[in-house]
Amino acid sequence: MALITALPGSESPDPHVNNTIHDDESDPSAAETDEILAIISRDLRDWLSYIRALQETNVVILLTPVVIPISQDPTDISDPFEPFGRALAKRHPRIRHVPYTLRNGITSTHREFIKRGHVIILCFAVSPDRPLRIDFADITFAVSDDKPCIVVICKDTIDTQNPESFPTIVQAAGYSPPALEAAAALIFGENLHPQAGSNFQQPRLWPVEQWNEARDLSRVLDLWTECVSIPFALHQQTLASLLRRPGYAKHYVVRDSSRGDILGFCATYLSYADREGERLIASVAFLFVQSANRQQGIGLSLHSHALRELKKTRGVVRLQLGSTFPRILYGPPLDIPLNDAWFRRRGWQLQGRIVHDLILTFAEWRYKEDTYPPTTPSYRPCTQADMDQVLELVEGFCFEQAKMGWFGQYMSLMNGPNVKDVVLGFADNAMVATALTYTPSCGSQISSNLPWAGQIGNDVGGVTCICVHSKMRVLVVGGLLNACVETLYNQGMKRMFADGIGEEVDVFLKLGFRKWGQYREVWKDT
């Protein structure tokens, strides 16, 4: 999430079968009562899958009847269906709750809301003196113009044998808050099959705190180790260095209220996108929830709080699922399961390109110079006098290729001893290419921002932020990488790590690189 593979949800079940949520299945006495709170009776058109993959900007129209409160107290003026609206809003940010009366039914006002919505949830409260009004449903379906329309029938006794004939039906055992919460969970595909004896809890909003490094570091490392695959294992000191970025990082936890244990963790960063420092990239670097505590609203609570805080910062132009610098994970790793529908509902576009981290063993390097190049490129280390021209080249390349955060990595070397780690490429006496090299002990900000080379081994250097003029790529890329290999070899390195390689990956593979990690590039604009 580093990527964010927070894993806050699970796969949705078959929408055509009856799925149920029971009242307190973890209680041994439930074997006798086994009260069903909610059930999916039918989903013939797979509309539940549609609502589970909504975009964050999509609007759900919730139509509920005006009914007598369960308390029967004449002074109670609360809407019994308000908890249903809140339960849905925990799972999707744009819920428009519009009550209707039995006397007036679906009015012109309701019709306008239905036309503007992307999904309609129509609720009925059925009792012996309050029959189900088919005519209200007919109007809703007619106005909805074939948009998904989910009918929720609230009735004291759930009819598991002969429900009404709507395409998608969810039944709830009345309209008590627990029954409506269970119905909302079913609609969004959560907690459909809790196991007897499990620590199952209904999803809810959890209090979110800023993390405390002294208290939380070791537990966050345990959570990281539980959630990632072996190649991404980190030492505690390295994780601490990556998370400790005063002024540029805020990290959040959800705790067990009784023991104080960390149930979920979210790391976020800000980084500059341009020379002026007015445009910022906000990164949700990773979001992890303990496996035993998923599907309880912890991931949603962390995600909502983190994005709300990031968006408060002036100048944020893009949000990244993953991180730029420090680059813990570029995006969601392909080999770690991710609940795509959960993230899509929150506005993340998951159809981005695949980005690779690569590694080269110098003994397998296969570069050969072009025998008859149209012009002979040359390569050398950067000097302080070159840096203004380097920054101009990098800024133009980053704007053209939408490379977020790269400019700041070059800028951090200005007036410092590590400018020599920049390798430059020239053609016809013009600077046309640049790349950053680093080693585990070089002392620059680059090596602390890119942990994986040093984690792989002390003989692994790295190359990053490779900028090549668009008309010179074929001519220069191989020679530039060769100059980087020579630079690192002369410093005692035997291997080279290349991060964030996109469409040009085949060029690297032909030169002897091997794939080390693969990620999805996931962004959204603010």
Side-chain angles (χ1 to χ4, degrees):
M1 73 190 164
L3 172 59
I4 211 160
T5 28
L7 300 171
S10 64
E11 294 299 320
S12 298
D14 185 342
H16 303 290
V17 301
N18 280 9
N19 296 291
T20 62
I21 287 183
H22 296 261
D23 185 13
D24 194 11
E25 288 199 12
S26 63
D27 185 346
S29 66
E32 297 179 7
T33 60
D34 201 28
E35 180 186 356
I36 297 175
L37 290 177
I39 184 171
I40 298 173
S41 299
R42 181 184 294 119
D43 189 18
L44 297 180
R45 301 183 65 177
D46 207 21
W47 280 343
L48 291 176
S49 293
Y50 184 92
I51 195 172
R52 293 164 189 168
L54 284 176
Q55 300 298 314
E56 189 176 42
T57 54
N58 291 159
V59 176
V60 176
I61 305 299
L62 173 63
L63 305 176
T64 64
V66 175
V67 294
I68 298 172
I70 295 175
S71 66
Q72 304 290 317
D73 182 350
T75 65
D76 185 356
I77 60 173
S78 64
D79 180 356
F81 280 91
E82 186 176 334
F84 192 35
R86 290 198 300 266
L88 294 170
K90 287 193 299 184
R91 296 161 171 88
H92 184 74
R94 299 204 174 197
I95 305 294
R96 301 293 179 263
H97 185 183
V98 191
Y100 67 87
T101 64
L102 187 62
R103 176 177 179 179
N104 296 322
I106 305 300
T107 67
S108 59
T109 300
H110 296 96
R111 294 188 188 102
E112 288 303 312
F113 275 100
I114 293 169
K115 291 175 183 178
R116 297 171 188 171
H118 297 85
V119 172
I120 316 302
I121 299 178
L122 174 61
C123 297
F124 292 102
V126 179
S127 64
D129 59 346
R130 190 183 181 102
L132 191 151
R133 293 292 299 269
I134 299 293
D135 54 329
F136 293 178
D138 288 342
I139 295 172
T140 301
F141 276 87
V143 177
S144 66
D145 194 23
D146 207 36
K147 286 182 282 197
C149 188
I150 297 162
V151 174
V152 178
I153 300 173
C154 302
K155 189 177 179 182
D156 288 341
T157 303
I158 289 179
D159 185 353
T160 60
Q161 301 300 320
N162 189 31
E164 300 295 333
S165 57
F166 305 114
T168 300
I169 301 173
V170 174
Q171 294 190 73
Y175 48 83
S176 67
L180 294 174
E181 171 68 42
L186 283 177
I187 288 171
F188 280 95
E190 299 170 4
N191 304 309
L192 297 177
H193 299 291
Q195 300 297 316
S198 69
N199 294 322
F200 168 71
Q201 297 182 39
Q202 292 287 359
R204 62 182 178 88
L205 290 179
W206 294 70
V208 177
E209 306 172 17
Q210 279 198 236
W211 92 308
N212 180 305
E213 180 180 340
R215 177 184 180 184
D216 299 331
L217 179 59
S218 62
R219 291 173 177 174
V220 170
L221 179 62
D222 290 342
L223 181 57
W224 172 275
T225 303
E226 175 191 338
C227 294
V228 302
S229 53
I230 292 175
F232 298 110
L234 283 171
H235 300 307
Q236 182 166 306
Q237 183 178 357
T238 303
L239 180 62
S241 173
L242 291 167
L243 296 176
R244 192 186 302 129
R245 301 299 167 103
Y248 297 93
K250 285 188 177 180
H251 313 311
Y252 306 100
V253 297
V254 166
R255 303 182 191 278
D256 180 293
S257 58
S258 59
R259 302 189 306 274
D261 294 343
I262 290 178
L263 305 179
F265 178 82
C266 181
T268 71
Y269 297 93
L270 293 170
S271 57
Y272 292 114
D274 57 17
R275 182 193 293 259
E276 289 76 19
E278 296 179 355
R279 299 167 67 243
L280 297 170
I281 309 153
S283 300
V284 180
F286 60 91
L287 169 61
F288 290 138
V289 176
Q290 292 277 7
S291 58
N293 299 100
R294 292 170 190 161
Q295 303 179 4
Q296 296 176 19
I298 296 169
L300 177 60
S301 300
L302 285 165
H303 179 274
S304 299
H305 183 85
L307 262 66
R308 188 163 53 247
E309 292 299 309
L310 288 172
K311 289 179 179 179
K312 289 180 182 177
T313 305
R314 181 179 177 181
V316 171
V317 294
R318 289 191 90 182
L319 295 166
Q320 180 186 9
L321 191 58
S323 64
T324 50
F325 299 98
R327 181 166 293 161
I328 308 174
L329 300 172
Y330 190 97
L334 293 186
D335 64 344
I336 298 179
L338 186 73
N339 188 337
D340 287 19
W342 192 93
F343 284 100
R344 285 196 184 98
R345 286 201 300 273
R346 281 139 192 97
W348 296 102
Q349 303 297 321
L350 299 178
Q351 292 80 26
R353 64 174 185 158
I354 303 302
V355 177
H356 307 265
D357 287 345
L358 308 174
I359 190 162
L360 169 74
T361 299
F362 290 164
E364 299 173 359
W365 181 232
R366 296 197 291 265
Y367 171 71
K368 292 183 180 180
E369 289 187 6
D370 190 345
T371 307
Y372 302 105
T375 185
T376 303
S378 60
Y379 309 92
R380 65 169 174 81
C382 180
T383 66
Q384 196 62 55
D386 297 314
M387 281 302 292
D388 285 338
Q389 191 175 354
V390 168
L391 293 177
E392 183 178 349
L393 171 65
V394 171
E395 186 174 34
F397 179 85
C398 292
F399 179 80
E400 176 188 321
Q401 300 294 324
K403 299 296 186 183
M404 296 290 182
W406 289 24
F407 183 86
Q409 300 309 297
Y410 281 91
M411 189 69 184
S412 70
L413 301 179
M414 192 77 168
N415 299 318
N418 290 102
V419 292
K420 67 183 186 313
D421 295 335
V422 179
V423 176
L424 305 178
F426 297 84
D428 295 328
N429 296 318
M431 187 186 298
V432 296
T434 179
L436 287 173
T437 65
Y438 59 95
T439 66
S441 59
C442 67
S444 77
Q445 176 181 299
I446 312 302
S447 61
S448 65
N449 279 340
L450 297 163
W452 300 117
Q455 290 295 118
I456 295 169
N458 292 328
D459 63 349
V460 183
V463 59
T464 189
C465 301
I466 301 169
C467 303
V468 181
H469 191 285
S470 58
K471 296 181 179 179
M472 294 291 176
R473 288 174 189 163
V474 174
L475 177 67
V476 169
V477 166
L480 181 69
L481 290 172
N482 188 62
C484 294
V485 169
E486 291 179 353
T487 297
L488 294 175
Y489 179 80
N490 290 335
Q491 296 177 69
M493 300 295 104
K494 297 179 181 178
R495 291 175 286 176
M496 183 168 75
F497 188 85
D499 67 284
I501 308 302
E503 292 84 356
E504 65 275 24
V505 64
D506 288 341
V507 173
F508 284 72
L509 297 178
K510 290 177 181 177
L511 290 171
F513 283 87
R514 290 177 287 109
K515 293 180 181 179
W516 184 84
Q518 298 181 83
Y519 316 88
R520 285 186 284 186
E521 188 175 54
V522 182
W523 299 85
K524 66 175 178 178
D525 293 323
T526 56

